[in-house]
Amino acid sequence: DIMSFLPTSGYDDTVQNMHRVMIPLLGTIGTATGCALIWVLAKRRDKIFQYIPKLYFSGFVCQLVISLLLLISTSWTIAIQLSLTAILCLYAFFLFEKEWLFVNTIVCIYNLLSVLGKVSFLGYDDNLYSMLDNSSARSSCLSYFNADSDSGVCDGYIASLRVFVMFLIYIVAFLSFTSYLLYRDFDSLSENEKESQRSLLGSKSSSSNYESISGNESS
């Protein structure tokens, strides 16, 4: 019952219904989308590859927006990590140089392992969804915000964050894959294709700027 996802339902009911419906549903959507993307890349690569950088850019914007939403929660520390790395990765995108794409790939994989709770030696012992969903999540939220037990911030808002976090996990996985894809195929891209990506916001590569400066000095 979708109505039970609304803040008017009890906290425990909301959590249980999200376990029964939302996780399997969003997991199925994410898996189906991933399979479709892989199939298209394998069978229609020449037609779809030109859109990968734009999807890649959109993914980082989504990561940045969700990280800002997470700042209003007990998961604010990982929100800062996600926001700062998203800014770094956007910088790499605008430069669109192979070295920066390599750095970006490592950052994306690190973020993926972090949100999945697979970097225990750095303090990420639990996945990001469970941090908002475990038995102590609500009490921690009420204590953190000094809110009343019937406050919507720890029921409705946190419930909504769980939905965004489920999407975030798949978004970060997508970014890890596409970042590596762009890094691997960077040398096969034409100079026009590279410059078209750098000119998305009017930016140019540092090497292009250097060549331009050198040319002006020699003239």
Side-chain angles (χ1 to χ4, degrees):
D1 183 5
I2 295 181
M3 291 299 293
S4 62
F5 280 70
L6 297 176
T8 52
S9 65
Y11 178 81
D12 292 337
D13 291 337
T14 301
V15 170
Q16 291 170 10
N17 284 323
M18 293 183 103
H19 291 175
R20 279 194 289 258
V21 179
M22 191 201 70
I23 294 179
L25 178 61
L26 294 187
T28 300
I29 293 173
T31 301
T33 303
C35 289
L37 176 64
I38 293 300
W39 185 87
V40 171
L41 281 173
K43 300 297 184 180
R44 301 287 189 271
R45 185 182 183 283
D46 293 338
K47 294 182 178 180
I48 195 65
F49 192 82
Q50 59 180 319
Y51 300 107
I52 291 297
K54 296 178 177 62
L55 293 173
Y56 174 79
F57 173 78
S58 300
F60 282 118
V61 173
C62 290
Q63 177 181 318
L64 186 59
V65 171
I66 295 174
S67 67
L68 294 177
L69 294 175
L70 282 168
L71 287 173
I72 314 176
S73 74
T74 53
S75 302
W76 62 271
T77 51
I78 195 169
I80 291 176
Q81 173 188 320
L82 291 170
S83 62
L84 292 178
T85 52
I87 293 170
L88 173 65
C89 294
L90 287 172
Y91 176 74
F93 174 81
F94 292 137
L95 286 184
F96 208 74
E97 295 178 348
K98 188 173 184 178
E99 295 78 7
W100 278 104
L101 290 174
F102 176 70
V103 172
N104 182 56
T105 302
I106 295 175
V107 169
C108 288
I109 293 173
Y110 171 67
N111 279 338
L112 179 60
L113 294 175
S114 298
V115 297
L116 290 175
K118 302 300 181 182
V119 196
S120 57
F121 62 92
L122 291 178
Y124 298 105
D125 297 314
D126 211 349
N127 65 77
L128 184 54
Y129 182 89
S130 296
M131 290 171 63
L132 299 170
D133 186 71
N134 57 36
S135 58
S136 62
R138 187 169 186 264
S139 58
S140 298
C141 178
L142 292 173
S143 175
Y144 180 76
F145 289 108
N146 192 27
D148 297 330
S149 59
D150 59 350
S151 173
V153 70
C154 294
D155 292 345
Y157 182 71
I158 298 299
S160 300
L161 276 184
R162 294 192 195 100
V163 179
F164 288 119
V165 164
M166 277 293 295
F167 278 115
L168 177 66
I169 292 172
Y170 283 97
I171 289 170
V172 175
F174 169 77
L175 292 174
S176 301
F177 174 72
T178 53
S179 182
Y180 171 73
L181 199 64
L182 290 172
Y183 167 73
R184 188 196 65 181
D185 293 348
F186 184 84
D187 293 332
S188 65
L189 298 175
S190 68
E191 285 303 319
N192 287 336
E193 289 175 317
K194 295 174 185 176
E195 288 301 327
S196 68
Q197 300 307 320
R198 293 168 184 149
S199 62
L200 182 64
L201 286 183
S203 61
K204 294 182 179 180
S205 67
S206 58
S207 58
S208 298
N209 291 334
Y210 177 77
E211 291 170 0
S212 177
I213 294 172
S214 300
N216 290 336
E217 289 178 348
S218 61
S219 61

